[in-house]
Amino acid sequence: MAPSGVAGFNIGSFLIQFLLIVGGAAVFRRLARLVNQPPLLGEMFLGILLGSSFLAWAWPDAYQLFFPSENRPLLEALAWIGLILFIWSVGAELHWSSNQAWPIFFVAMGGLIVPFVLGSVLALSTPDWFFVDKPSFESMILVGIIM
């Protein structure tokens, strides 16, 4: 039996999970290149295949075997760290000149403000779609934020 750590965490199964994810990412990166796709697309496809949205649905026993519930909090934390590092690296690769700053700013703000305003207007005009009781102003603004 593999040694266990804090709160039932199993280091042996974590190492298998880590090897499965990292090794699978290498294989799927190569497969994506073979079909003239970006390597990131292969990694994303592997993530969908191994994740709870596909593997747990298609083969629940294999999902439980490869990703036992006691290790999921650590994997989730590592996934969030990986996502943050990925977004940072994408941002670090962007190079724009100063004359592009204002159009980029307006596009970014439009992507935030337009859904917020439309969601708030929708919640104000049709509150029965979103609320059981009489909604407060704060709850309607929350609908706008969520949108």
Side-chain angles (χ1 to χ4, degrees):
M1 182 172 179
S4 63
V6 178
F9 174 75
N10 189 326
I11 189 71
S13 68
F14 174 74
L15 290 176
I16 291 171
Q17 293 165 353
F18 187 76
L19 289 174
L20 181 69
I21 292 168
V22 172
V27 169
F28 275 73
R29 270 193 306 271
R30 184 159 302 230
L31 290 174
R33 283 188 192 120
L34 287 175
V35 293
N36 295 323
Q37 294 298 317
L40 178 64
L41 192 64
E43 293 173 353
M44 290 173 55
F45 187 67
L46 174 71
I48 292 169
L49 288 178
L50 289 180
S52 59
S53 58
F54 183 76
L55 186 61
W57 169 78
W59 195 9
D61 294 335
Y63 182 74
Q64 186 60 33
L65 175 70
F66 289 119
F67 302 104
S69 57
E70 62 264 10
N71 289 358
R72 287 187 199 145
L74 177 62
L75 283 176
E76 186 174 334
L78 290 174
W80 278 107
I81 291 170
L83 181 64
I84 290 167
L85 291 174
F86 169 71
I87 292 172
W88 176 78
S89 67
V90 168
E93 291 179 9
L94 293 177
H95 303 286
W96 57 71
S97 61
S98 61
N99 63 344
Q100 295 172 321
W102 283 111
I104 291 170
F105 173 77
F106 288 125
V107 168
M109 287 300 105
L112 294 172
I113 293 171
V114 171
F116 171 74
V117 169
L118 291 178
S120 298
V121 168
L122 186 64
L124 286 168
S125 62
T126 57
D128 53 321
W129 285 5
F130 300 99
F131 309 105
V132 176
D133 298 330
K134 186 176 186 305
S136 65
F137 178 74
E138 292 85 10
S139 60
M140 291 188 187
I141 296 298
L142 180 64
V143 171
I145 292 170
I146 292 170
M147 294 293 199

